[in-house]
Amino acid sequence: MLKGNLLNLFTEEIYPAEVEIKGGLIKCIREVDEEFKNYILPGFIDAHIHIESSMLTPSRFAEAVVPHGTTAVVADPHEIANVLGISGIKYMMNDASTVPLRFFFTAPSCVPATPFETSGAVLGPREIDELLQLDDVVALGEMMNFPGVVGEDPTVLEKIKIAHQYSKPVDGHAPLLSGDDLCKYIGTGISTDHECSVMEEAMEKKRLGMKIMIREGSSAKNLEELWKVGGDFLVSDDRHPEDILQGHLNQTLKKAVQLGIDPVEAIRMVTLNPSTHYNLDNGLLSPGKRADLILVDDLENFNVKKVMINGELVAREGKALFNVKPLPIENTFHLKTLKPFNFEINPMRTGNAKVRVIKVMEGQLLTEESEANLEIVDGALKADPEQDVLKIGVVERYGNNHVANGFVNGFSLDKGAIASSVAHDSHNIIVVGTSSEDMALAVNTLKNNRGGLVAVCDDDIHSLKLPVAGLMSTMSADEVSLQMNLLHEVVKDMGCKLVSPFMTMSFMALLVIPQLKISDEGLFDVGSFQFVDVIK
């Protein structure tokens, strides 16, 4: 039994009530003649999130977000799917099953993101069909390949068709898509979009019947720009551990109400709306539904007092009341020990050479192409930290031992190297450094750590281990956040001025975001969608 001021999302009333619970379900809700300070709400549902971006396993993620009132998530596991395919997705499901948080999944629609990189797996229509038959898989994950939809790629359309056959929705991902192409995209039955960044874009999609997911994550924050559009969902997409420690959807709700969204409407966006869209059995207070409910102090601050999932008290006053023991996973790194010469570019001439350079822009996934004249020493092109032209490399980690090298501007390292096994979307190892020696040391450290983030400076090695597919840690959010902050301080001392150097580096390998990027197969011009030479 739970008592409090009940917010009825069906009638928009608030009245004192008691919720009777039996067998994990809501048995009955009765109005009572009592006075209460706190409010009973349905547990919050994050309708679009990538658990891997938190760098926490699903069980550790649950430990961090349940005390904030989150009782369910719809997670797209496309990061681990790029590494391990279906076995990676099943790892997420198995680890998730050890904790009370209710996990629903989508079948990743775009693995790999492009054919110009080496991933650990490929999910074709057959694999999508297998996944969509699972009860916990509630939709086809975000269709990032919007050019494939518009261009009527038969494999892409077959995946969408399979989702419709199972009567499961298809999530969208179509940044800035407009006009006839947008109509064609929606016409295939894609029903949501979380990539809107401006009001005009969101309104065009909404007018055409799309459900708008307003994203408020760690890097992409769109709530302030889009709140007046009347979105259907409030989602996180990507949320980092240091931010999760401060709050989750309760924090987003607080901001939404401060901006001017009616509290009842805001709460619908994280409860009733996702429940209805994904055909879930929770997210609303009604007899026969799952007893996933929370108690908050008011409808402005959303400080969470109690959290119940399946009728059991699982968190109180900001503390999880369940134990977490993340499941182990196989080693996903299959590469040889690297030598400094693996990171050399040899022009076969002396003097200088003009090279293409990836130009990083702070706070953006977009890059530009610039150029630099670099000195050739002992047959190899050298980085020039004074010009802020550093070496960048991508090391394939799935057994083929590819290494591609180039140059990058914007990291401002005076010395050393940084490396990461989080490199969207195929998650090969990416490394930026001032010398081949430091780059080799950083990559070999990652190999020995079975993944993670590394900074090498003056022969000192600092690292955050992410041994779960090179993407996640088995440590708590507190521990991961602490180590992440220490790494950022080290990289700052190395001269880097970027706010999030590892995150910025991770997107240098994402070949679907312009302009100049790099994969394990070479330097890639996104505009022309082809590889280009480093030396001009």
Side-chain angles (χ1 to χ4, degrees):
M1 187 79 70
L2 185 66
K3 293 185 176 183
N5 296 307
L6 185 132
L7 170 60
N8 191 312
L9 294 175
F10 304 113
T11 64
E12 299 190 4
E13 297 174 280
I14 297 174
Y15 49 85
E18 62 180 19
V19 181
E20 183 181 355
I21 298 166
K22 185 176 181 180
L25 304 177
I26 296 173
K27 182 179 180 182
C28 193
I29 302 172
R30 306 179 189 89
E31 186 173 0
V32 297
D33 187 18
E34 298 181 50
E35 291 187 6
F36 303 106
K37 292 182 179 180
N38 296 327
Y39 293 77
I40 301 174
L41 307 177
F44 303 145
I45 304 170
D46 196 331
H48 181 72
I49 191 167
H50 304 283
I51 303 298
E52 302 97 318
S53 293
S54 71
M55 296 186 284
L56 307 172
T57 61
S59 56
R60 286 296 192 189
F61 175 84
E63 179 183 48
V65 302
V66 167
H68 297 310
T70 301
T71 59
V73 296
V74 179
D76 184 344
H78 79 224
E79 310 294 359
I80 199 168
N82 270 281
V83 178
L84 283 167
I86 286 181
S87 67
I89 296 170
K90 290 187 174 177
Y91 167 83
M92 300 292 278
M93 293 177 171
N94 291 335
D95 188 65
S97 70
T98 66
V99 290
L101 179 64
R102 212 176 293 282
F103 284 86
F104 301 99
F105 293 90
T106 63
S109 64
C110 303
V111 177
T114 76
F116 304 106
E117 56 199 300
T118 306
S119 65
V122 176
L123 296 187
R126 182 178 63 81
E127 289 80 11
I128 294 298
D129 191 291
E130 178 183 339
L131 288 168
L132 286 170
Q133 292 183 53
L134 302 175
D135 290 339
D136 288 344
V137 178
V138 297
L140 181 65
E142 56 179 294
M143 181 48 74
M144 295 182 288
N145 188 3
F146 57 86
V149 177
V150 175
E152 300 182 15
D153 182 295
T155 301
V156 170
L157 296 183
E158 179 65 18
K159 292 177 181 179
I160 296 172
K161 179 182 176 183
I162 292 168
H164 294 327
Q165 288 173 348
Y166 289 107
S167 299
K168 294 185 177 181
V170 182
D171 284 337
H173 169 116
L176 303 179
L177 197 65
S178 181
D180 290 349
D181 286 347
L182 177 60
C183 288
K184 195 169 187 180
Y185 185 78
I186 296 171
T188 64
I190 297 172
S191 55
T192 69
D193 187 87
H194 63 275
E195 288 291 338
C196 295
S197 55
V198 295
M199 178 72 76
E200 294 78 13
E201 177 185 9
M203 281 304 299
E204 181 181 7
K205 290 173 177 174
K206 187 177 177 68
R207 284 170 175 165
L208 294 172
M210 267 193 144
K211 294 182 179 179
I212 305 301
M213 293 178 162
I214 300 180
R215 173 174 54 188
E216 190 71 8
S218 287
S219 50
K221 298 180 185 293
N222 306 123
L223 181 56
E224 195 161 348
E225 172 67 27
L226 299 180
W227 71 271
K228 290 182 180 178
V229 80
D232 299 273
F233 310 92
L234 294 172
V235 303
S236 298
D237 197 10
D238 299 295
R239 190 69 74 104
H240 305 146
E242 60 270 26
D243 294 326
I244 289 173
L245 290 172
Q246 304 303 315
H248 189 213
L249 292 174
N250 60 327
Q251 192 179 55
T252 306
L253 283 170
K254 181 178 179 179
K255 182 174 179 178
V257 172
Q258 286 174 342
L259 286 169
I261 297 180
D262 177 75
V264 175
E265 186 55 37
I267 292 165
R268 276 201 186 101
M269 293 163 76
V270 296
T271 56
L272 184 61
N273 291 0
S275 176
T276 303
H277 181 75
Y278 292 107
N279 194 29
L280 310 181
D281 61 354
N282 58 321
L284 57 161
L285 302 181
S286 177
K289 296 298 181 181
R290 291 287 175 187
D292 298 354
L293 38 144
I294 65 175
L295 204 64
V296 301
D297 61 346
D298 56 44
L299 304 184
E300 295 177 357
N301 297 299
F302 297 97
N303 293 313
V304 180
K305 301 298 182 180
K306 290 182 180 180
V307 181
M308 300 183 78
I309 298 179
N310 235 27
E312 300 290 332
L313 185 66
V314 293
R316 181 193 289 119
E317 299 292 346
K319 183 174 176 57
L321 301 179
F322 53 91
N323 295 320
V324 176
K325 190 176 180 180
L327 299 179
I329 196 171
E330 65 189 83
N331 183 11
T332 59
F333 287 80
H334 305 286
L335 69 153
K336 295 177 181 177
T337 299
L338 276 293
K339 303 291 185 183
F341 70 79
N342 293 117
F343 299 98
E344 302 285 11
I345 297 175
N346 306 103
M348 303 301 290
R349 65 174 189 255
T350 59
N352 297 294
K354 184 180 289 186
V355 300
R356 289 183 170 87
V357 178
I358 301 170
K359 185 176 181 180
V360 172
M361 293 186 284
E362 175 69 87
Q364 295 194 45
L365 306 187
L366 298 169
T367 63
E368 295 178 349
E369 179 181 328
S370 62
E371 62 180 42
N373 282 303
L374 298 179
E375 188 179 2
I376 301 168
V377 178
D378 296 329
L381 282 165
K382 296 300 177 185
D384 188 347
E386 288 190 7
Q387 286 191 73
D388 188 19
V389 177
L390 307 179
K391 306 178 76 153
I392 185 169
V394 176
V395 180
E396 187 269 339
R397 57 126 150 168
Y398 301 109
N400 298 297
N401 292 294
H402 301 157
V403 181
N405 293 297
F407 295 94
V408 65
N409 162 259
F411 281 87
S412 306
L413 296 180
D414 299 325
K415 53 188 175 181
I418 59 175
S420 172
S421 58
V422 179
H424 301 285
D425 269 343
S426 292
H427 301 294
N428 290 300
I429 296 172
I430 190 160
V431 56
V432 170
T434 58
S435 73
S436 299
E437 290 76 17
D438 286 335
M439 293 169 77
L441 179 57
V443 171
N444 291 331
T445 300
L446 270 186
K447 174 181 179 288
N448 295 335
N449 287 353
R450 296 173 56 190
L453 313 177
V454 170
V456 171
C457 181
D458 297 328
D459 293 328
D460 288 330
I461 300 172
H462 308 266
S463 64
L464 166 61
K465 295 180 180 179
L466 301 175
V468 180
L471 301 171
M472 293 168 283
S473 170
T474 56
M475 297 186 296
S476 69
D478 288 287
E479 294 170 300
V480 172
S481 180
L482 176 62
Q483 291 194 20
M484 189 79 230
N485 289 335
L486 288 173
L487 266 177
H488 277 149
E489 287 300 314
V490 169
V491 178
K492 185 178 179 181
D493 289 341
M494 292 163 63
C496 187
K497 298 177 178 63
L498 295 172
V499 174
S500 300
F502 288 98
M503 181 193 298
T504 300
M505 183 170 63
S506 74
F507 287 107
M508 294 302 102
L510 187 57
L511 306 187
V512 294
I513 305 289
Q515 178 65 37
L516 195 61
K517 296 292 173 72
I518 186 170
S519 79
D520 64 297
E521 296 183 13
L523 195 63
F524 193 78
D525 186 304
V526 180
S528 61
F529 227 57
Q530 63 184 9
F531 291 105
V532 292
D533 293 329
V534 175
I535 300 172
K536 299 189 78 168

